[in-house]
Amino acid sequence: MTDNKKQFSQDEELSEFADRLLNGQMKNTASDSNEELRDLEETILRLHSVMPNTSLEESQKKQMLVRLNARIRKEQTQKKSFWASLFNAEGMQNHSRPQFMAAIGILAILVTAVIISPILGMDGTSTTGTALNSGPNLFLIIGLIAVVVCILWFARKK
Amino acid sequence: MDNISASIDHEPSDEALIRQYKDGNQEAFSILYHRHITNVYKRVRYIIPEAEVEDVTQEVFIAAMKSLASFRGDSQFGTWLRTLTNHKVAEFYRKRTRKQEPQLAPLSDAFGKMEGSTSKMMEERIYIQKALSQLPENYREVIMLRFAEDLQFNEIAELMGQNIEATKSLFRRAIVALRGQLDE
């Protein structure tokens, strides 16, 4: 038997074994002759014997729904802080997260630059009255507006 | 609740219920919940420690509720909910790892909730859950669909967009990988 045929045969035998086990028609390994297959069947038996397979009863479903509704009400009444709503993953589901966070980072840098530019002498005091004196700040403000537009774009509801 | 049962009998489609929910009918979400809770719960219970199952299941439905407004129907609601469940399970394990807590819930927590289970069986279950959580996603998925959700191989093949031979082959390879994890 070629390797492909052997594997195909094992695929079929193992899935058939799982079917019979789940239908309650099988309780032990089926392959006495094939050690490899027997090992896999034992793994399936082990999985099936300890893992939960009982279904939910109707009363359990109803109780869980009551608790779910209570939790939803509780969450709705708890007002989130601005920073929590901004950075919380749940609230970011409709945002393109990496771009949104990058835009916020750039915004923070630009705001810092606008604030500290007079301190660093970037306001062109030596050329007061000329068109050039507002150059750096103008670029910063344009950049600031561009970033705010980007944030609004990424934060929009899709 | 009787109203919910009656509504389920009439079997409006998931898509119709989602439209109703988007139009403000909260009851539509309750019907969706009743329709899908069993599968979500079984899936979560198969891979999450017993003490955390209801919490994670609730998180799945809360996330679904929040995201329904943006659900565009590109896939079936059941498939979408299954993906959401997988994300919440992954998030559960990610949070645990980040907090550097033990990988699994204390045995006593889980044991307290399981009637008729021996502690040895619970230890074995926790061990297998850990092994399952470490499998590649497609391997874990095929095992979950067959054992947790009790889908037939032809149904799994249809869901995964494969032919049945490829699905059975994937299942065998998944069991080989699981055996490898359990032997480690």
Side-chain angles (χ1 to χ4, degrees):
Chain A
M1 198 186 283
T2 63
D3 280 353
N4 276 350
K5 277 188 178 173
K6 186 183 163 195
Q7 281 196 349
F8 178 75
S9 166
Q10 285 197 352
D11 295 344
E12 288 293 324
E13 284 186 53
L14 198 65
S15 49
E16 196 183 324
F17 175 80
D19 287 344
R20 277 185 286 159
L21 180 70
L22 289 167
N23 289 335
Q25 297 166 345
M26 181 70 66
K27 284 180 179 166
N28 298 308
T29 54
S31 306
D32 293 331
S33 56
N34 186 331
E35 193 179 337
E36 190 184 346
L37 199 55
R38 194 171 60 244
D39 281 350
L40 297 180
E41 288 174 352
E42 277 171 3
T43 305
I44 290 178
L45 277 173
R46 194 173 162 187
L47 182 73
H48 183 61
S49 64
V50 295
M51 296 307 276
N53 51 16
T54 51
S55 197
L56 271 175
E57 289 176 14
E58 198 57 32
S59 60
Q60 286 177 292
K61 288 185 196 176
K62 287 176 182 175
Q63 284 168 6
M64 285 174 67
L65 180 60
V66 169
R67 289 194 287 269
L68 173 68
N69 285 334
R71 182 168 164 183
I72 290 167
R73 273 196 299 274
K74 192 179 168 190
E75 284 191 9
Q76 282 171 345
T77 52
Q78 283 173 345
K79 197 173 180 299
K80 273 189 172 178
S81 74
F82 170 75
W83 293 109
S85 62
L86 191 61
F87 293 106
N88 186 291
E90 289 286 342
M92 297 291 286
Q93 279 176 355
N94 291 329
H95 300 160
S96 179
R97 194 167 190 198
Q99 292 94 324
F100 188 74
M101 300 314 282
I104 288 194
I106 294 168
L107 179 66
I109 292 167
L110 285 174
V111 168
T112 310
V114 168
I115 292 168
I116 66 169
S117 61
I119 301 165
L120 297 176
M122 288 170 68
D123 61 346
T125 45
S126 61
T127 53
T128 306
T130 67
L132 287 172
N133 73 332
S134 59
N137 272 342
L138 188 65
F139 285 125
L140 283 174
I141 290 163
I142 291 169
L144 207 60
I145 291 166
V147 172
V148 169
V149 169
C150 283
I151 289 175
L152 291 175
W153 175 259
F154 289 132
R156 78 195 191 283
K157 292 257 181 189
K158 286 174 186 167
Chain B
M1 286 300 170
D2 290 333
N3 289 342
I4 292 168
S5 304
S7 304
I8 290 170
D9 290 342
H10 291 302
E11 294 288 336
S13 69
D14 286 351
E15 289 69 27
L17 289 168
I18 291 165
R19 275 197 301 276
Q20 287 177 27
Y21 177 72
K22 285 181 179 177
D23 291 341
N25 179 3
Q26 297 292 320
E27 188 74 356
F29 188 80
S30 296
I31 300 170
L32 280 171
Y33 167 89
H34 272 266
R35 191 173 286 174
H36 293 279
I37 179 65
T38 305
N39 276 347
V40 171
Y41 184 81
K42 278 182 174 178
R43 176 171 278 264
V44 173
R45 194 177 177 205
Y46 216 78
I47 203 151
I48 295 281
E50 193 70 25
E52 315 280 355
V53 172
E54 184 170 342
D55 206 36
V56 175
T57 305
Q58 281 185 354
E59 280 173 19
V60 171
F61 280 99
I62 289 170
M65 186 181 256
K66 286 177 180 171
S67 308
L68 263 186
S70 61
F71 178 73
R72 288 179 295 201
D74 295 337
S75 60
Q76 287 188 343
F77 179 70
T79 309
W80 181 77
L81 198 59
R82 197 174 279 124
T83 307
L84 196 58
T85 306
N86 289 346
H87 284 165
K88 286 292 164 190
V89 168
E91 189 180 291
F92 169 83
Y93 280 107
R94 214 170 33 244
K95 277 182 184 170
R96 288 211 139 193
T97 310
R98 205 183 301 147
K99 285 179 187 171
Q100 294 185 323
E101 284 179 0
Q103 184 75 6
L104 296 158
L107 197 61
S108 55
D109 287 3
F111 187 58
K113 290 202 169 190
M114 293 301 299
E115 285 176 22
S117 299
T118 64
S119 66
K120 195 180 173 197
M121 188 186 267
M122 284 310 301
E123 277 177 26
E124 173 78 341
R125 183 183 292 182
I126 290 168
Y127 186 60
I128 291 177
Q129 282 178 330
K130 187 180 172 188
L132 278 171
S133 73
Q134 287 169 347
L135 289 181
E137 195 176 343
N138 58 341
Y139 286 175
R140 186 169 60 244
E141 190 62 23
V142 73
I143 291 174
M144 300 277 280
L145 289 170
R146 186 67 192 96
F147 286 96
E149 293 195 30
D150 202 20
L151 294 184
Q152 300 299 313
F153 281 107
N154 59 338
E155 294 171 312
I156 298 171
E158 197 179 328
L159 261 178
M160 294 185 127
Q162 295 178 326
N163 61 40
I164 195 160
E165 288 80 14
T167 305
K168 288 178 177 178
S169 173
L170 179 68
F171 176 72
R172 183 186 54 77
R173 284 180 281 128
I175 298 296
V176 169
L178 179 63
R179 189 188 58 178
Q181 284 289 342
L182 292 172
D183 287 347
E184 270 182 13

